[in-house]
Amino acid sequence: MSVVKNVGQIATRPHPFLRGITMKVLYSREDDTGDATCFIVTCPAGSEIEEHVHPHETDMIYVLRGRATMWIEGRGEVALEPGVFVVVPSGLRHRTYDVEEELHIYDVFTPPMF
């Protein structure tokens, strides 16, 4: 089944695991019986995503807007800015901090997170 959605018509909701972070779910196992989770994540300036691990999911991030720093285990610091694409394989610790400008990222998890 095909899925077509308009981002402007998708409700913004709190991220289920990250305090102060919001998201718009584009595609998910729960809503679409999808085999990936795709969403737009918004991190306000000054916010932080604490260090965490996705034990089973690969996290693929594409920065749409904003500026921040990401730390990835075994890689170190990565500047997040528009146009940057990052893949964090399952099992690697990572975090996002120093959000200088409100950060908007297109985030994909496979297998789906929710």
Side-chain angles (χ1 to χ4, degrees), residues 10-54:
I10 297 173
T12 299
R13 60 186 187 186
H15 192 287
F17 315 118
L18 304 172
R19 190 179 69 241
I21 308 302
T22 60
M23 63 182 192
K24 289 185 173 210
V25 178
L26 305 174
Y27 184 69
S28 71
R29 179 177 48 214
E30 292 172 357
D31 297 337
D32 308 292
T33 63
D35 55 0
T37 303
C38 304
F39 50 111
I40 305 290
V41 177
T42 301
C43 304
S47 66
E48 180 174 319
I49 297 175
E50 61 193 36
E51 185 178 306
H52 61 286
V53 170
H54 304 288

Side-chain angles (χ1 to χ4, degrees), residues 54 57-63 70-76 78-80 83-94 105-110:
H54 304 288
E57 303 89 6
T58 295
D59 186 1
M60 294 172 274
I61 298 164
Y62 179 74
V63 181
M70 180 178 227
W71 173 84
I72 304 168
E73 179 180 13
R75 173 110 189 169
V78 175
L80 296 181
V84 170
F85 177 70
V86 177
V87 176
V88 181
S90 62
L92 288 185
R93 296 177 302 131
H94 58 287
I105 60 172
Y106 174 65
D107 205 352
V108 177
F109 284 92
T110 183

